[in-house]
Amino acid sequence: MKIIEAKTYEDMSRKAANIISAQVIMKPNCVLGLATGGTPVGIYKQLIDWYRKGDIDFSEVTTINLDEYRGLPRESIQSYWTFMHEHFFDHVNIRPENINLPDGTNQDAQEECARYDRLIMEKGGIDLQLLGIGVDGHIGFNEPGAAFELGTHCVNLTESTIEANARFFDTVKEVPRQAYTMGIKTIMQAHKVLMVVNGRSKAAIIKEAFFVQ
Ligand code: F6R
């Protein structure tokens, strides 16, 4: 594990975008695992900027997102599908058929999660997985202590995650109570993992997760 410190949010975003960009340059048809949330927005902005300048090409890239709310249609403004299109996909030359997120409208959780794990396998695995982390330590929708050996699965959101995600909805009541998420096993099978973290609110969990024996 390598820890790279950054001076500011912009510096962190640029450094992380550099790592992603290097991955795409080294392997133009790579598979990028992507995340939503506030933290990666600056990275996506930077990548869009470099794309516009002609420095990076996403035409052969496949993306596989970490998670999606269960029950929300793609078109919903709070779906991770919409988030990813607004913040990234709509601004670069990723082919629509190469974009993958769990289908929140598939009510058959077992079928949807198995489809997603199969898809990752068929694509040859994830070359670089981008991750954020919640203040309580959740990764994707895996809460601390989630079984390590789980692939993609359906989770019940905890109160803390529901509250944290309420900022994206009009009221806390509208936050879906379940989500499909890659499991820790799926994430750890990625060839490389890039976790980005910023802000004081994350300091305690980072200390606990990475620095306390
Ligand atoms: C995003 C995801 C979440 C976020 C986490 C941190 O796809 O699965 O685990 O990474 O909630 O979110 P922010 O970056 O908003 O603090």
Side-chain angles (χ1 to χ4, degrees):
M1 182 174 72
K2 188 172 168 60
I3 295 178
I4 303 170
E5 286 178 29
K7 293 186 207 82
T8 59
Y9 176 74
E10 288 69 30
D11 186 33
M12 177 201 77
S13 302
R14 202 170 41 248
K15 285 185 161 79
N18 257 309
I19 293 170
I20 295 172
S21 168
Q23 172 66 68
V24 174
I25 291 167
M26 296 295 282
K27 187 179 174 191
N29 64 346
C30 65
V31 178
L32 297 179
L34 297 179
T36 62
T39 315
V41 168
I43 301 174
Y44 297 141
K45 268 198 189 131
Q46 181 65 79
L47 290 172
I48 292 166
D49 186 42
W50 288 336
Y51 165 72
R52 287 186 178 145
K53 289 180 173 143
D55 290 339
I56 183 165
D57 173 21
F58 294 96
S59 61
E60 290 179 58
V61 170
T62 293
T63 62
I64 304 190
N65 261 77
L66 267 178
D67 43 15
E68 178 60 281
Y69 288 115
R70 184 174 186 220
L72 281 193
R74 276 177 175 184
E75 305 71 39
S76 154
I77 52 167
Q78 290 95 358
S79 76
Y80 285 178
W81 175 273
T82 300
F83 180 99
M84 287 305 301
H85 281 76
E86 270 178 11
H87 289 282
F88 188 42
F89 299 147
D90 284 351
H91 311 282
V92 295
N93 64 338
I94 286 188
R95 292 202 183 115
E97 63 272 28
N98 289 347
I99 293 171
N100 300 281
L101 284 92
D103 177 2
T105 60
N106 187 349
Q107 283 302 319
D108 187 336
Q110 233 182 335
E111 181 188 80
E112 181 52 22
C113 296
R115 178 193 74 82
Y116 214 60
D117 282 339
R118 217 170 33 244
L119 172 91
I120 297 170
M121 232 174 56
E122 283 165 9
K123 301 283 177 199
I126 294 169
D127 290 296
L128 177 63
Q129 175 67 54
L130 176 63
L131 295 179
I133 188 169
V135 284
D136 68 350
H138 68 257
I139 293 175
F141 277 108
N142 300 280
E143 295 298 335
F148 218 79
E149 63 278 10
L150 281 180
T152 305
H153 60 288
C154 181
V155 286
N156 296 322
L157 273 54
T158 62
E159 280 311 313
S160 145
T161 301
I162 292 170
E163 266 167 44
N165 290 3
R167 65 198 146 127
F168 299 114
F169 293 80
D170 287 338
T171 66
V172 71
K173 273 195 185 145
E174 288 171 43
V175 184
R177 269 31 188 180
Q178 288 188 313
Y180 293 137
T181 183
M182 285 184 195
I184 299 297
K185 182 174 104 179
T186 334
I187 294 166
M188 293 308 290
Q189 281 171 342
H191 303 310
K192 289 178 281 290
V193 172
L194 172 63
M195 176 179 277
V196 283
V197 191
N198 81 296
R200 271 177 200 280
S201 64
K202 306 271 176 79
I205 189 61
I206 292 307
K207 185 171 176 198
E208 198 181 327
F210 296 107
F211 296 100
V212 177
Q213 298 293 316

